[in-house]
């Protein structure tokens, strides 16, 4: 695992793309602050760049570096979450502009899974995390279901957990509003 983390960090520092296991499904990742790297992800997924992608972080203490205003309810939701939870914040900052939604929003998940958490910690910046599939195709439930097109389109494929056949589930998604209001998306 340590070698995978070191290699993945090196590739992302160079603006490259990685294929890696997350706390949900396998994801395509890159430096979430690098606009050109984010553009490469959109190109690989054949996805319109007005469809925002989420980012992973290792620690909620870093939220205020990348979100304009963290509502009080966010801290409570993160604290009680017992499965992967993506929160959509109204205004992202210090991230690649093409990563944000048209309204400036950003989805962020604090990963509790060992590999992706350590990867975020070592990289010291948020990582893009988007399903390892071409837009419109089914999300792969495990590594064996990832298409060759996606595998060929990244600069590094993590070896950790490639043989794990556990069917992963996507995260819950909650959009945060002002005044403690929130909307459950999924």
């Amino acid at each position: 695992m340590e070698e995978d983390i070191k290699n993945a960090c090196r590739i992302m520092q160079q603006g490259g793309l990685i294929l890696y296991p997350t706390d949900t499904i396998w994801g395509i990742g890159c430096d979430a602050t690098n606009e050109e790297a984010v553009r490469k992800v959109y190109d690989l997924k054949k996805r319109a760049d007005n469809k925002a992608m989420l980012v992973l972080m290792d620690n909620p203490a870093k939220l205020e570096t990348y979100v304009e205003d963290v509502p009080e309810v966010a801290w409570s939701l993160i604290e009680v979450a017992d499965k992967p939870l993506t929160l959509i914040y109204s205004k992202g900052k210090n991230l690649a502009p093409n990563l944000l939604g048209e309204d400036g929003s950003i989805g962020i998940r604090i990963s509790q899974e060992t590999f992706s958490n350590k990867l975020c910690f070592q990289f010291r910046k948020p990582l893009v995390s988007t399903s390892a599939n071409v837009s419109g195709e089914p999300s792969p439930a495990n590594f064996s279901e990832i298409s060759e097109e996606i595998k060929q389109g990244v600069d590094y494929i993590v070896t950790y957990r490639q043989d794990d056949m556990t069917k992963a589930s996507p995260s819950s998604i909650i959009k945060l509003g002002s005044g403690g209001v929130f909307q459950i998306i999924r």
Side-chain angles (χ1 to χ4, degrees), residues 32-33 54-81 85-95 100 104-112 120 124-127 174 176:
T33 67
L54 68 93
V55 300
L56 284 186
M57 285 189 214
D58 63 309
N59 190 322
K62 297 178 180 177
L63 280 171
E64 292 176 321
T65 302
Y66 299 101
V67 175
E68 198 69 46
D69 178 43
V70 181
E72 222 27 68
V73 69
W75 304 115
S76 300
L77 290 168
I78 291 167
E79 190 176 310
V80 300
L85 172 65
T86 301
L87 296 178
I88 301 174
Y89 299 88
S90 61
K91 191 160 172 35
K93 64 179 184 178
N94 300 320
L95 294 164
L100 305 176
S105 64
I106 184 68
I108 298 176
R109 187 166 71 243
I110 308 300
S111 177
Q112 303 300 323
C120 290
R124 297 190 175 109
K125 290 189 259 183
L127 307 181
I174 297 177
L176 303 173

Side-chain angles (χ1 to χ4, degrees), residues 132-181:
N133 62 310
V134 171
S135 282
E137 293 181 4
S139 296
N142 51 51
F143 181 78
S144 66
E145 293 182 7
I146 299 171
S147 72
E148 281 305 309
E149 181 178 3
I150 295 295
K151 291 176 185 173
Q152 296 295 321
V154 298
D155 302 297
Y156 183 73
I157 300 174
V158 169
T159 58
Y160 180 73
R161 281 187 34 211
Q162 283 188 12
D163 56 354
D164 182 352
M165 299 310 272
T166 307
K167 296 281 186 196
S169 301
S171 69
S172 297
I173 301 175
I174 297 177
K175 184 170 186 167
L176 303 173
S178 59
V181 175

Side-chain angles (χ1 to χ4, degrees), residues 101-118:
E102 289 180 333
D103 61 357
S105 64
I106 184 68
I108 298 176
R109 187 166 71 243
I110 308 300
S111 177
Q112 303 300 323
E113 184 269 334
T114 304
F115 181 83
S116 54
N117 184 278
K118 285 184 175 186

Side-chain angles (χ1 to χ4, degrees), residues 42 49-53 97-107:
Y42 282 118
D49 64 5
N50 64 348
K51 291 195 76 175
M53 296 183 287
N98 55 345
L99 189 55
L100 305 176
E102 289 180 333
D103 61 357
S105 64
I106 184 68

Side-chain angles (χ1 to χ4, degrees), residues 17 30-31 34-47 49 53 96 98-99 128:
L17 306 185
C30 70
D31 176 351
N34 181 327
E35 189 171 0
E36 185 52 40
V38 170
R39 186 176 344 279
K40 290 180 194 175
V41 176
Y42 282 118
D43 290 347
L44 177 58
K45 287 185 64 79
K46 300 177 182 166
R47 183 176 180 165
D49 64 5
M53 296 183 287
N98 55 345
L99 189 55
V128 165

